[in-house]
Amino acid sequence: MRRTEFIRSMAGLLAAASVTPGMARGAARPETAGVPWPAVDAGSEGFWKFVRDQFPLTTERAYLNTGGLGASPYVVIDAVKAKMDELEKISEPGHDDRIWTDIKSAAGALMGCDAEELAFTRNTTEGINIVANGLPFRKGDEIITTTHEHVGNAFTWLELQKRTGVVLKFFEPSTESQQENLDRIARLITTKTRLVSIPHAVTTTGLILPVKAIAELTRAKKIWFFVDGAQTAGMFPFSLHDIGCDAYATSGHKWLLGPKETGLLYVRKEMLDTVEAKFVGAYSARDFDLQKGTSSLTLSAQRYEYGTVSIPLRVGLGAAIQFIGRIGIATVWERDRTLSTRLFRGLKEIPDVRVLSPVEDGMRSAMVTFMHTKLPHTDVQKHLDDYNLRTRGVSEGGLAALRISTHIYNTPEEVDRVIEGVRSVKTK
Ligand SMILES: Cc1ncc(COP(=O)(O)O)c(C=O)c1O
């Protein structure tokens, strides 16, 4: 880039920053910031108002796309900024095993695994890539997945198929019966099946798949089992050891409410040597000797991490896990589910609306998806936009629908606005 172009592009960036001065300088704190937390009470709107006030998120627009990206609370943003300020004063990277282990221990406590089984990643997609490229597949090996995958768990496997000759096989996830989902997977299994790779909560309909039962099936057949957990960490409680999958990838920047570009990859202890670390460097290494030509990987999942990373982002992820833990993941789930059930029931009553999410409570997550039978989903989305409602269009799995995520910063009033907005859409 020439000097004049550089100056012009920097001027552009500065101008962009100045249109959002509040954000650039730190938004004003609500009264409750610094005030001691009230007792956690999932049934108290006062408690949830307190929680809502911990976010700089605007109240002018209802943000209903946590499945896409979560909003961070002040404590997360402050933790990132404070660490960055601290490190930039001394220009040090701030790499610190003790801090990393503390954050992974907290994440392990939340997700039911050991700190040594977790690697920091940039996002779920990176975790999927580490697993897809690290497993020792051979040409002709079969991989089972669903027809409703997010691009992150679709593109990775499609490219692997192209490069290595593995064969992808698909099943349509049933929103009606978990037994049917198990049967559909079982019917695809052959002697060549090496892996089942499915989401814990499906991105399209929010369906929660029966991962524990699937793990029992794959274990019995000696098939690896990978779970795409992009939509689950921070939404509801689960234990990875209890599920019994071989690997699980999640994002820090969705339901966990952490900084953007944070994620975690779980690889079961016994699988660490099977999922080969393909990208390695500083922090993957236990020791190496260039003269002797020897090297060995760290014994933990840290082997999947390499090179300089952003410590402020990791510290922010730690603050986010702490924030979720302050409320309690069971309470978070109770709130998220109360809101999504209210939405589900409200949408069900609207003529010309088809709700695509499961009817059975135990199969439904905090993402509810619906379509209008007489209008394209893009028209409905535009109409809801005018109501200041941020929704997400769903095109995966051949759907043309809208998805609404409800998390702890959302309110019953916002849910009612969605219902009212959908009800008021004109069919001409
Ligand atoms: C099921 C699923 N997998 C993977 C991803 C990708 O997540 P990330 O962008 O954090 O890698 C998403 C994102 O929405 C998702 O819903």
Side-chain angles (χ1 to χ4, degrees):
M1 191 185 282
R2 287 208 315 270
R3 191 178 136 75
T4 46
E5 284 171 316
F6 173 76
I7 290 170
R8 207 176 309 126
S9 80
M10 285 310 291
L13 280 177
L14 290 172
S18 71
V19 294
T20 52
M23 283 155 77
R25 291 190 205 118
R29 295 291 190 270
E31 281 172 9
T32 51
V35 172
W37 275 63
V40 173
D41 180 356
S44 154
E45 284 308 316
F47 173 70
W48 293 113
K49 165 81 172 71
F50 179 88
V51 170
R52 178 68 180 80
D53 287 346
Q54 306 312 308
F55 291 80
L57 185 65
T58 179
T59 48
E60 279 160 27
R61 183 179 79 145
Y63 183 71
L64 299 151
N65 186 31
T66 303
L69 215 47
S72 292
Y74 288 110
V75 282
V76 168
I77 301 162
D78 289 349
V80 175
K81 285 181 183 166
K83 197 69 191 171
M84 196 155 181
D85 283 346
E86 177 196 322
L87 293 174
E88 289 307 321
K89 276 195 190 121
I90 49 175
S91 194
E92 292 292 341
H95 294 157
D96 185 333
D97 260 336
R98 195 180 42 82
I99 296 178
W100 296 353
T101 306
D102 284 352
I103 299 167
K104 286 182 183 175
S105 298
L110 180 72
M111 302 198 292
C113 67
D114 299 338
E116 296 74 34
E117 295 172 302
L118 290 172
F120 289 115
T121 57
R122 292 159 54 206
N123 45 47
T124 299
T125 307
E126 187 178 21
I128 297 169
N129 272 276
I130 290 170
V131 174
N133 293 293
L135 283 171
F137 291 113
R138 282 183 307 224
K139 191 168 185 240
D141 283 348
E142 293 176 358
I143 293 165
I144 297 173
T145 188
T146 80
T147 51
H148 281 229
E149 293 309 309
H150 181 272
V151 55
N153 198 40
F155 199 67
T156 315
W157 298 110
L158 285 167
E159 285 293 302
L160 192 78
Q161 174 169 257
K162 212 159 65 182
R163 279 202 318 274
T164 68
V166 296
V167 178
L168 291 188
K169 295 172 91 178
F170 303 93
F171 74 97
E172 173 95 22
S174 164
T175 50
E176 279 162 23
S177 155
Q178 297 294 33
Q179 186 55 51
E180 182 55 31
N181 283 317
L182 283 169
D183 292 346
R184 286 179 190 182
I185 293 172
R187 279 199 291 273
L188 289 177
I189 294 176
T190 71
T191 52
K192 290 184 180 165
T193 308
R194 296 300 296 282
L195 173 84
V196 172
S197 170
I198 51 137
H200 195 168
V202 182
T203 207
T204 50
T205 59
L207 160 73
I208 299 172
L209 283 168
V211 283
K212 189 171 177 178
I214 297 169
E216 280 163 19
L217 174 68
T218 53
R219 204 175 314 119
K221 301 270 183 189
K222 297 194 171 21
I223 294 167
W224 298 314
F225 182 29
F226 167 71
V227 182
D228 171 349
Q231 296 296 349
T232 47
M235 187 205 281
F236 57 73
F238 58 86
S239 157
L240 292 169
H241 285 169
D242 182 52
I243 290 169
C245 56
D246 293 309
Y248 192 104
T250 192
S251 302
H253 44 232
K254 294 183 190 280
W255 301 85
L256 278 175
L257 312 175
K260 282 65 197 172
E261 208 178 10
T262 54
L264 290 160
L265 170 67
Y266 160 82
V267 178
R268 190 163 64 81
K269 231 175 258 137
E270 297 77 10
M271 284 294 286
L272 284 168
D273 287 337
T274 307
V275 181
E276 215 182 304
K278 287 278 169 66
F279 285 87
V280 291
Y283 312 107
S284 336
R286 182 152 59 117
D287 53 46
F288 74 99
D289 187 321
L290 202 50
Q291 273 71 39
K292 289 190 192 136
T294 57
S295 66
S296 67
L297 291 162
T298 58
L299 298 178
S300 72
Q302 190 177 303
R303 62 181 59 190
Y304 304 113
E305 301 168 21
Y306 51 88
T308 303
V309 295
S310 165
I311 298 307
L313 293 187
R314 287 192 181 176
V315 168
L317 176 63
I321 294 168
Q322 223 172 16
F323 182 77
I324 293 283
R326 182 72 191 74
I327 298 168
I329 188 66
T331 307
V332 167
W333 180 219
E334 197 177 332
R335 176 62 166 181
D336 287 3
R337 202 151 58 156
T338 301
L339 295 173
S340 66
T341 303
R342 184 183 183 106
L343 177 65
F344 178 83
R345 292 191 181 141
L347 290 173
K348 275 285 218 195
E349 285 177 8
I350 305 177
D352 302 330
V353 164
R354 222 180 106 211
V355 182
L356 305 176
S357 299
V359 173
E360 196 184 309
D361 277 349
M363 293 170 76
R364 209 169 55 238
S365 67
M367 297 188 293
V368 171
T369 302
F370 68 97
M371 57 184 285
H372 201 283
T373 53
K374 295 193 177 139
L375 284 175
H377 72 290
T378 42
D379 285 11
V380 182
Q381 186 169 36
K382 167 81 187 57
H383 179 74
L384 293 181
D385 236 24
D386 296 341
Y387 266 69
N388 285 326
L389 299 163
R390 169 65 159 98
T391 62
R392 195 263 203 196
V394 178
S395 56
E396 295 91 341
L399 302 183
L402 288 185
R403 186 185 74 190
I404 310 283
S405 303
T406 47
H407 205 16
I408 49 176
Y409 33 68
N410 297 120
T411 63
E413 291 71 34
E414 287 176 345
V415 167
D416 293 346
R417 252 166 65 204
V418 176
I419 298 165
E420 190 196 318
V422 177
R423 205 183 273 283
S424 66
V425 72
K426 297 263 182 306
T427 49
K428 288 167 202 135

